[in-house]
Amino acid sequence: MALILPLVAVGHAGPLLAQDTEATAEGTGTPPAESSQTDEEAADRVPESVVALQPLFQRIQEADSIRASVELSADTVVDGAVISQETSVYQIASTAPDQFTAYLKGEKIQTRVYSDGETAVVALSPTAFCVLEKPIAMQNAVFQLPVPLGPYPEAVLALTLAGVDPSLTLTTGMKSVVQVGRENFRGRTPSVHFTGLQDDDVRWDLWITEGDQPVPLRLRIDLSDMLRANGALDMPPGYRFTLRLDFKVWRLNHPNDPSLYRYTKVEGAQEFESVQAYYRSLAGEQPSPPPSAEE
């Protein structure tokens, strides 16, 4: 069975108002329109698990810069047996408010996005690139990059781009967020384990270090029910498609060289007028040259 890789992040939106284990009345997760609750009363309804994630989220929002290396394993599982596995690595650096680079390297992909606050470039492969019309706002990059950067990049970007708000990704548009408990990650690192179920049926598990300066350790994402609910794929019984993201490096306020955010053209690399033009060329269509400066 071939590995199924959704190419774009599936966004989700809407405030989380559910309790830890179930939504509000009638399963809507939305209070009655006539409710006159105060801000303090609304705050009291926020699940303790969401509150427990705030120290990590606040560190990311207030960070001047972040440097991260994250190992990704995308696994296709049937009846508990792994029948396909692809591994790759994210290398991500960012400096608030508007400079970042995100690189995904694997056997079948080497794609990197650069944005230095003034210009943005996508290195589609080691020998192909395109210059975008405008730079990419960091928070926008979390939800929609101009090029696929793995099967579900939204969550890993939310945890590695300085100055963004991770709660928009990990605690918004949810059916539930639960603090599972404390455990020793890999048997040696004290950690706190959270699990969440999104409105689109994506399930995730997040492990972070215990203490007042938490660091992400692992994020596991199960896309199976979302893919099954969409009905676009013919999946056998017992099918699961999961991602495991291990944060090997996560450095807060690490001084990042500004050159990281600027693309340096590789000798012989071809410039395309757009990301779409590049993919059309892969399909055998004749690519159009980028517009000249005189035009």
Side-chain angles (χ1 to χ4, degrees), residues 21-275:
T21 56
E22 57 184 319
T24 52
E26 299 181 0
T28 63
T30 305
E34 65 273 13
S35 174
S36 59
Q37 63 182 354
T38 65
D39 290 343
E40 290 79 8
E41 289 171 335
D44 288 341
R45 298 184 63 209
V46 176
E48 291 183 6
S49 54
V50 175
V51 175
L53 280 166
Q54 291 310 306
L56 173 63
F57 293 174
Q58 187 172 358
R59 295 191 78 199
I60 294 171
Q61 280 189 275
E62 296 177 354
D64 293 325
S65 62
I66 296 177
R67 190 78 169 266
S69 178
V70 186
E71 293 183 357
L72 167 63
S73 177
D75 301 334
T76 300
V77 179
V78 176
D79 292 331
V82 178
I83 63 170
S84 178
Q85 182 178 71
E86 290 192 7
T87 59
S88 51
V89 177
Y90 284 103
Q91 299 285 347
I92 299 171
S94 58
T95 300
D98 56 7
Q99 296 179 306
F100 75 94
T101 182
Y103 179 38
L104 180 61
K105 182 178 181 180
E107 291 183 5
K108 298 181 180 179
I109 185 172
Q110 292 187 47
T111 304
R112 185 166 182 170
V113 179
Y114 302 80
S115 190
D116 64 3
E118 296 181 358
T119 60
V121 176
V122 177
L124 298 149
S125 76
T127 57
F129 72 98
C130 73
V131 180
L132 304 182
E133 294 182 357
K134 59 183 179 180
I136 307 169
M138 204 108 77
Q139 187 70 65
N140 290 346
V142 173
F143 295 109
Q144 188 173 13
L145 285 172
V147 64
L149 205 67
Y152 197 84
E154 182 177 326
V156 68
L157 291 172
L159 293 170
T160 55
L161 292 181
V164 305
D165 184 356
S167 69
L168 298 178
T169 298
L170 292 168
T171 58
T172 301
M174 305 294 294
K175 294 179 180 178
S176 65
V177 178
V178 178
Q179 182 174 322
V180 178
R182 288 172 167 77
E183 53 195 69
N184 286 331
F185 183 74
R186 290 184 170 172
R188 60 180 182 272
T189 303
S191 69
V192 185
H193 177 193
F194 299 86
T195 187
L197 175 61
Q198 298 176 184
D199 285 342
D200 57 6
D201 292 322
V202 172
R203 297 175 181 270
W204 56 257
D205 288 86
L206 174 65
W207 289 262
I208 67 176
T209 57
E210 197 172 7
D212 57 1
Q213 293 187 318
V215 170
L217 296 168
R218 173 177 288 174
L219 178 65
R220 188 172 61 205
I221 303 172
D222 190 333
L223 300 171
S224 314
D225 292 338
M226 182 270 290
L227 294 173
R228 187 172 286 108
N230 285 345
L233 301 171
D234 183 16
M235 297 183 294
Y239 171 95
R240 311 301 300 178
F241 180 69
T242 62
L243 311 174
R244 189 183 72 244
L245 295 134
D246 286 318
F247 293 77
K248 297 298 185 179
V249 176
W250 194 85
R251 296 175 183 167
L252 205 68
N253 298 327
H254 179 87
N256 294 323
D257 192 310
S259 65
L260 286 171
Y261 310 125
R262 294 191 293 269
Y263 173 73
T264 301
K265 183 178 178 181
V266 177
E267 184 177 355
Q270 180 178 356
E271 182 176 357
F272 288 80
E273 64 176 356
S274 66
V275 173

